[in-house]
Amino acid sequence: MKKILLVSGCSFTDKLFISDYHTKLNTFWPKWPEILAKKLDMEVINLGKMGAGNEYIYSSLLDKIMTTDNIGLIMAAWSQSQRRDWKVKRKWFNNSWYCNTDWINQPNSNDMYAYIDKSLRYYYSLQELCKSKKIPLKQFQMIHMFRGYSWDKLTQRHKLTPEIDFKTANKELLNHIHNSPYFDKIDDSFLGWPGDPDLGGFSIKSDILGGYGKESLEWAISTRDNHPNEKGQEKIAEFLYDRLG
């Protein structure tokens, strides 16, 4: 019986990904979990879901760990920390735009520091859980933890605080990660920790697939849709495979 490769992530991982910009495009090419499982001679369980945030990624993996035997490797392809996940009648819902539009007008919402803290808890908890169950784990930032679209909204933080520029906001958030009690507790099972070059790490989209500019077009669907094309999915799988030794 083959070992199981258990994976969760967002749209970069979703086996059934459909482009929002090119709705007639057949995007059902093999995704990196399926490609990687073939290289490893494993069966794959791919829990990736379009729009998913880190609560879904963590929860879907934990639920499957509790009900699945013969797991040979777990891989968590983490997304943006500010994405919102919720569940109604056993069905998961996701909003990848949450906190990128009107969150500053909601005083009861978390700020970016709290969202980052929440993700760091997921990373460390999954690491320690897999250690306790003696299940091999590799986790990484598929998408940068906090950088992304509508950044100007994120830098405002709250309607009562002054706006701050991109560089200042970026530095503050990176310092927050570096000063976290989890920073030195995340081990080498996390590829590219802590997910940003300024702290000595990397994220797959920004640093391996060329980011969001013209240099990414070889690996992306189009200038409008930066999700990995078929070649991009193969590149992700090869990149990860080379780091599993």
Side-chain angles (χ1 to χ4, degrees):
M1 181 182 297
K2 291 183 178 181
K3 292 283 189 177
I4 291 172
L5 172 63
L6 177 60
V7 178
S8 191
C10 62
S11 54
F12 280 58
T13 301
D14 191 345
K15 182 179 180 179
L16 302 178
F17 166 77
I18 297 174
S19 173
D20 290 333
Y21 298 97
H22 309 286
T23 55
K24 295 183 179 180
L25 178 66
N26 182 359
T27 55
F28 294 153
W29 48 70
K31 304 306 189 293
W32 69 264
E34 286 69 36
I35 299 170
L36 186 59
K38 188 174 182 179
K39 288 177 176 288
L40 297 172
D41 192 28
M42 301 174 77
E43 298 290 340
V44 64
I45 297 178
N46 184 351
L47 304 173
K49 188 176 185 298
M50 290 180 62
N54 291 336
E55 180 177 358
Y56 167 80
I57 295 171
Y58 175 81
S59 300
S60 62
L61 288 172
L62 182 58
D63 290 349
K64 191 60 68 172
I65 289 170
M66 302 307 294
T67 59
T68 306
D69 296 323
N70 202 36
I71 299 175
L73 176 62
I74 292 172
M75 301 193 80
W78 299 109
S79 187
Q80 293 173 310
S81 61
Q82 69 268 25
R83 290 188 176 189
R84 182 188 175 202
D85 306 295
W86 68 98
K87 198 172 186 180
V88 178
K89 295 182 179 179
R90 300 182 181 180
K91 182 178 180 180
W92 279 99
F93 296 87
N94 317 93
N95 185 350
S96 60
W97 288 95
Y98 188 72
C99 298
N100 288 292
T101 52
D102 61 354
W103 74 277
I104 58 172
N105 296 316
Q106 301 175 23
N108 293 325
S109 294
N110 290 339
D111 63 11
M112 276 302 301
Y113 301 94
Y115 283 113
I116 287 173
D117 288 343
K118 193 175 183 180
S119 287
L120 295 179
R121 295 184 194 109
Y122 292 144
Y123 303 171
Y124 182 72
S125 295
L126 183 61
Q127 170 187 292
E128 295 305 297
L129 172 69
C130 289
K131 281 183 181 178
S132 70
K133 290 186 169 294
K134 296 181 172 57
I135 302 174
L137 167 70
K138 292 296 181 185
Q139 48 183 339
F140 53 91
Q141 287 293 151
M142 179 63 80
I143 303 175
H144 194 280
M145 195 188 303
F146 59 82
R147 289 179 186 165
Y149 35 72
S150 300
W151 172 258
D152 58 323
K153 295 296 183 182
L154 298 182
T155 61
Q156 294 179 44
R157 295 183 290 184
H158 190 280
K159 63 183 179 181
L160 300 179
T161 60
E163 292 186 24
I164 55 177
D165 60 49
F166 174 86
K167 290 184 178 180
T168 301
N170 184 70
K171 184 177 180 180
E172 284 189 9
L173 294 174
L174 289 179
N175 284 339
H176 184 70
I177 294 171
H178 186 266
N179 293 330
S180 166
Y182 298 102
F183 184 81
D184 293 327
K185 300 295 188 297
I186 304 295
D187 62 26
D188 58 7
S189 66
F190 198 115
L191 303 175
W193 174 252
D196 187 285
D198 288 340
L199 292 177
F202 62 79
S203 63
I204 298 293
K205 175 56 184 171
S206 296
D207 305 304
I208 309 305
L209 296 181
Y212 298 88
K214 292 182 179 179
E215 60 273 18
S216 71
L217 293 182
E218 181 178 1
W219 317 110
I221 291 174
S222 72
T223 55
R224 298 184 66 199
D225 192 335
N226 271 281
H227 286 89
N229 56 22
E230 185 171 7
K231 191 175 179 180
Q233 290 287 345
E234 292 171 355
K235 183 175 177 65
I236 295 172
E238 290 172 2
F239 179 84
L240 295 173
Y241 180 74
D242 289 343
R243 283 153 183 80
L244 292 180

